[in-house]
Amino acid sequence: MIKISFPDGAVREFAPGITAMEIAKSISEGLARRILAASVNGEVWDLSRPIYQDAQLKLLAWDDKDGKSTFWHSSAHLMAEAIESMFPGVKFWVGPPVDNGFYYDIDLGDKHITEEDLRQLEVKMAELARQNNPFIRKEVPKVEAVSYFFEKGDEYKLDLLKNLEDGAITFYTQGGFTDLCRGPHIPHTGFIKAIKLTNIAGAYWKGDEKNKMLTRVYGVTFPSQKELDEYLQMLEEARKRDHRKLGKELGIFTFDDDVGPGLPLWLPNGGIVIEELEKLAKDTEEEAGYHRVVTPHIAKESMYLTSGHLPYYQDSMYPPMELEGVKYYLKAMNCPHHHKIFAAEPKSYKDLPFRLAEYGTCYRYEQSGELFGLMRVRCLHMNDAHIYCTREQFADEFRAVNDMYLKYFKIFGIDKYVMRLSLHDPAKLGQKYINEPELWLETEAMVRSVLIESGIPFVEVPDEGAFYGPKIDVQIWSAIGREFTLATNQVDFAQGRRFKLEFTNQENKAETPLIIHRAPLGTHERFIGFLLEHYAGKFPTWLAPKQVKVLPISDKFMDYANEVKKQLKAAGVRVEVDDRNEKIGKKIRDTELQRVPYMLVVGEKEMNEGKVAVRRQGKGDAGVVAVTDFVAQITKEIADRSSGE
């Protein structure tokens, strides 16, 4: 008998050769109807694959990331079957699952897929799905696999086979379609109930522009039509909230070819948003005992060799410039500069924890194909800080950083978040990670302990740590459910020694501090991109570039409108008067489109009584109040950084 351990800690015995599907049926028929794949000792398997040894088993449904990925991988095969039926002779490269669906790269020869073809392919896929064809796994000798694809004249699969070892090659067949694939797959096509092919694009074979351009067909599938409808509705809302579209409409940022790709220019409205975010960070960090510093945008090569960044990150750094025989690099990270500031003056244990903060400008050479609006850029303004502390202080300092995240989440209305605890891979010590196995285990345990004690939701992810220690990546979700990576909180047990950082401890001996790298607001670029989509451009009043627009009903009331503006401006409110010769209805509509939080309509009655008719963005009439009362209300809302709801 073999022992199967379940996620809840239960252990049951089964005969060797049992499948995950049979185990699921032994638990309940309902469970067996829902599961898509199984995680066996951390590896995702087909449900029909026999298990011969003791194993940790997790049954994967649609709600599991690996279950969803398996579902979409199988959907790519279903799409390929439909494509082959409509375009005989088509050749296939790769068809992986992605974050939101799947794609397949194909060679159609001299043929082309049109939007109308996509609709016909959806119909064909639905027809094939209803046949409930099982996904059948077959281990194939390499010579047989080569012969199969040679007869089909498929040079793409033959190329894949060149790098595969004999004895590790598998085919999967469903219905009339067979593909070279390592799997895993869902039990049968009948699980796929709703289908949408979303896009056609070009993709160079192997991503090399010297190679042939293939056709990439994207799609997404769901276990029910309701879930597909909800997804398509979310996509439509996401299009409306696209930060690139809103950024242009609201005058937040722009790009210019003469400046260069990935290098955003912040327009006046964007400058105001940046200023308010920096003010928030500075207020928060001052209260938390941080020292603010400023560092240069370039540094000598020797500093990045000392830090160890150059060997690990050189591909993401701009090429060096050479002056007087010395190489200089554009700053790609702030930490080495901060370490030099720490070392500039002697420190004792009484100076620790020593916290340095900077909205530092960094430059990273992202590949052209990876640039995306504000989300992937080459110039970043980072809410960076480094905390130098003793081991005894570490837990409190790390917890305080996480508390700062939670404070920001509340301010920005971020309700869904999770911390990803990124760990090292012991097999890559000395290559991807600093070769300090004991320190890795110690610091990972320290971080894990703080997260558990704080009750913060987190997941552990192997092989994604920083090269100098474990880290937390903060995943947040916008108001419409889109996931973003916001920021990071990292532990560093290596840089202190590399830079010979020391403090005098209570025994009057030199000791190396632990270092925490943190950036709760990430970069201006990514965070403002997130906020544009999160708020749909309707920033809360404290953050809005224009907070109030005064709308006189006619020119007769212009003087009074300017008097209202004067009072608001004196109170520190960002305010404008709409002095255009337009009807009040158009002024209101235009101001709504500009997403200004408050409109103050003024006419004869308001002028005579010293009042304003208040309208709230997206909510309409909010009543008539005295100007002094409105000033008191809005200044409190701004000072509190509240949503104004």
Side-chain angles (χ1 to χ4, degrees):
M1 302 293 280
I2 60 172
K3 293 181 179 179
I4 301 296
S5 302
F6 296 89
D8 63 359
V11 179
R12 293 176 59 184
E13 292 190 343
F14 297 91
I18 194 165
T19 67
M21 176 59 82
E22 290 169 336
I23 293 173
K25 286 181 177 177
S26 75
I27 298 171
S28 87
E29 288 290 338
L31 174 64
R33 287 193 293 271
R34 288 191 299 106
I35 59 170
L36 303 169
S39 172
V40 180
N41 293 329
E43 183 181 347
V44 183
W45 282 20
D46 303 313
L47 292 172
S48 59
R49 190 169 168 183
I51 304 171
Y52 291 103
Q53 297 177 329
D54 294 351
Q56 295 278 345
L57 178 70
K58 181 181 179 182
L59 300 172
L60 304 172
W62 170 253
D63 291 336
D64 295 290
K65 183 178 179 181
D66 287 331
K68 196 177 270 103
S69 179
T70 303
F71 188 94
W72 282 336
H73 185 193
S74 300
S75 299
H77 280 233
L78 182 69
M79 180 177 73
E81 183 180 7
I83 290 172
E84 192 170 60
S85 71
M86 285 181 58
F87 296 90
V90 62
K91 299 173 185 177
F92 297 95
W93 172 229
V94 290
V98 290
D99 286 345
N100 289 297
F102 54 89
Y103 69 79
Y104 220 123
D105 286 347
I106 60 177
D107 184 350
L108 291 162
D110 57 358
K111 299 175 184 175
H112 300 279
I113 288 184
T114 65
E115 290 292 333
E116 177 57 32
D117 291 330
L118 290 188
R119 307 291 77 83
Q120 292 182 38
L121 283 169
E122 289 172 359
V123 173
K124 184 64 177 177
M125 286 177 68
E127 174 191 320
L128 294 170
R130 287 193 294 270
Q131 295 176 8
N132 294 343
N133 291 320
F135 285 87
I136 301 170
R137 182 178 188 269
K138 179 185 178 184
E139 296 183 4
V140 182
K142 187 167 185 175
V143 64
E144 183 181 327
V146 169
S147 175
Y148 178 84
F149 285 108
F150 182 80
E151 289 179 15
K152 293 188 72 173
D154 192 331
E155 65 269 30
Y156 302 105
K157 298 298 183 184
L158 289 172
D159 184 85
L160 282 172
L161 282 165
K162 283 192 304 187
N163 298 316
L164 297 180
E165 294 182 9
D166 199 2
I169 297 169
T170 53
F171 281 6
Y172 275 85
T173 299
Q174 94 275 355
F177 180 73
T178 296
D179 202 1
L180 171 68
C181 180
R182 65 183 177 186
H185 286 283
I186 60 178
H188 59 78
T189 60
F191 283 89
I192 303 169
K193 303 290 187 184
I195 300 160
K196 181 68 178 177
L197 301 187
T198 55
N199 192 26
I200 309 166
Y204 291 109
W205 181 37
K206 298 184 179 181
D208 188 340
E209 60 186 17
K210 296 176 183 177
N211 289 336
K212 183 174 182 177
M213 176 74 78
L214 304 180
T215 299
R216 177 171 293 180
V217 184
Y218 288 92
V220 66
T221 54
F222 289 87
S224 73
Q225 187 62 42
K226 179 176 179 289
E227 287 167 295
L228 174 58
D229 292 341
E230 289 172 352
Y231 174 77
L232 294 176
Q233 185 177 352
M234 187 273 285
L235 278 187
E236 181 57 34
E237 184 63 26
R239 275 191 285 270
K240 294 177 187 175
R241 292 173 179 247
D242 189 320
H243 78 278
R244 295 166 298 176
K245 171 178 173 289
L246 291 172
K248 182 177 181 180
E249 291 174 359
L250 300 178
I252 303 295
F253 68 94
T254 189
F255 289 95
D256 189 283
D257 287 341
D258 287 336
V259 176
L263 302 171
L265 296 170
W266 294 98
L267 303 177
N269 285 347
I272 291 171
V273 177
I274 284 175
E275 189 174 317
E276 289 297 334
L277 290 175
E278 290 196 8
K279 193 184 300 181
L280 169 64
K282 288 174 181 177
D283 289 348
T284 304
E285 289 162 357
E286 183 178 356
E287 186 180 341
Y290 285 78
H291 305 282
R292 187 151 296 277
V293 296
V294 179
T295 59
H297 290 216
I298 63 172
K300 290 167 61 176
E301 178 185 53
S302 57
M303 188 172 75
Y304 294 118
L305 287 171
T306 299
S307 71
H309 283 100
L310 203 55
Y312 288 97
Y313 291 118
Q314 188 167 7
D315 290 346
S316 297
M317 297 172 73
Y318 273 87
M321 60 191 91
E322 190 164 329
L323 297 168
E324 300 175 342
V326 178
K327 289 182 179 178
Y328 289 82
Y329 282 87
L330 280 173
K331 180 172 63 172
M333 62 290 296
N334 298 304
C335 36
H337 293 75
H338 288 192
H339 301 336
K340 290 294 186 181
I341 291 174
F342 178 90
E345 298 174 331
K347 302 286 187 301
S348 83
Y349 69 93
K350 294 179 181 179
D351 298 310
L352 272 56
F354 191 74
R355 310 177 188 97
L356 296 178
E358 175 184 20
Y359 250 111
T361 305
C362 298
Y363 302 88
R364 295 180 184 172
Y365 191 77
E366 300 281 0
Q367 297 298 314
S368 297
E370 296 177 339
L371 298 174
F372 179 72
L374 292 178
M375 298 304 180
R376 293 294 291 269
V377 293
R378 290 174 173 168
C379 177
L380 315 95
H381 298 80
M382 190 178 298
N383 172 224
D384 215 351
H386 297 87
I387 302 168
Y388 304 83
C389 64
T390 67
R391 272 176 164 69
E392 294 74 24
Q393 293 167 336
F394 171 81
D396 287 341
E397 290 301 307
F398 204 80
R399 187 180 300 107
V401 171
N402 287 335
D403 289 344
M404 189 179 289
Y405 281 103
L406 299 180
K407 174 182 176 179
Y408 288 147
F409 293 165
K410 185 175 181 181
I411 289 172
F412 294 106
I414 298 169
D415 299 320
K416 184 180 179 184
Y417 60 90
V418 69
M419 307 287 191
R420 286 165 50 95
L421 173 52
S422 299
L423 310 173
H424 79 299
D425 181 347
K428 297 179 181 177
L429 288 172
Q431 303 164 23
K432 185 177 178 181
Y433 304 107
I434 296 290
N435 192 10
E436 297 276 4
E438 291 182 5
L439 281 174
W440 274 105
L441 295 176
E442 179 187 353
T443 50
E444 287 173 351
M446 291 163 69
V447 174
R448 187 182 294 111
S449 175
V450 171
L451 290 171
I452 292 171
E453 289 173 10
S454 302
I456 293 175
F458 74 98
V459 295
E460 297 193 12
V461 185
D463 196 22
E464 286 193 12
F467 76 90
Y468 46 63
K471 66 174 181 172
I472 288 174
D473 290 316
V474 183
Q475 304 299 116
I476 58 175
W477 280 260
S478 71
I480 59 168
R482 291 189 65 188
E483 182 179 0
F484 293 79
T485 301
L486 170 63
T488 188
N489 190 9
Q490 304 176 0
V491 186
D492 182 349
F493 56 74
Q495 297 279 297
R497 282 181 297 171
R498 283 175 172 267
F499 281 90
K500 297 181 172 58
L501 303 184
E502 294 180 344
F503 67 95
T504 304
N505 64 22
Q506 288 178 289
E507 284 73 44
N508 204 32
K509 295 179 180 178
E511 188 174 326
T512 301
L514 269 179
I515 304 170
I516 298 172
H517 304 238
R518 47 111 286 191
L521 293 178
T523 66
H524 285 323
E525 289 72 20
R526 178 175 286 270
F527 193 51
I528 291 175
F530 164 78
L531 290 177
L532 281 166
E533 300 193 4
H534 183 57
Y535 292 129
K538 299 174 184 177
F539 289 112
T541 305
W542 70 273
L543 196 54
K546 297 292 181 290
Q547 295 166 325
V548 177
K549 201 83 171 269
V550 185
L551 312 179
I553 290 175
S554 73
D555 289 348
K556 290 191 299 181
F557 311 109
M558 196 65 69
D559 289 343
Y560 180 62
N562 282 314
E563 178 58 34
V564 172
K565 172 186 173 182
K566 184 178 178 181
Q567 292 183 57
L568 285 164
K569 199 163 186 179
V573 179
R574 295 187 288 273
V575 55
E576 287 184 351
V577 172
D578 189 337
D579 58 4
R580 297 176 301 161
N581 186 22
E582 297 284 359
K583 292 182 178 179
I584 190 64
K586 178 169 176 52
K587 290 182 178 182
I588 290 172
R589 285 192 299 274
D590 290 348
T591 307
E592 284 280 354
L593 290 173
Q594 293 166 9
R595 296 168 174 80
V596 179
Y598 285 101
M599 289 167 268
L600 305 181
V601 180
V602 295
E604 186 169 3
K605 187 173 187 295
E606 288 78 20
M607 181 179 68
N608 291 338
E609 296 178 0
K611 294 183 176 180
V612 289
V614 182
R615 293 184 66 88
R616 194 73 166 92
Q617 162 66 233
K619 297 180 179 179
D621 185 16
V624 178
V625 300
V627 176
T628 52
D629 290 343
F630 178 76
V631 171
Q633 170 200 324
I634 193 171
T635 52
K636 183 178 187 308
E637 183 181 326
I638 292 168
D640 292 344
R641 294 190 173 101
S642 71
S643 64
E645 296 298 327

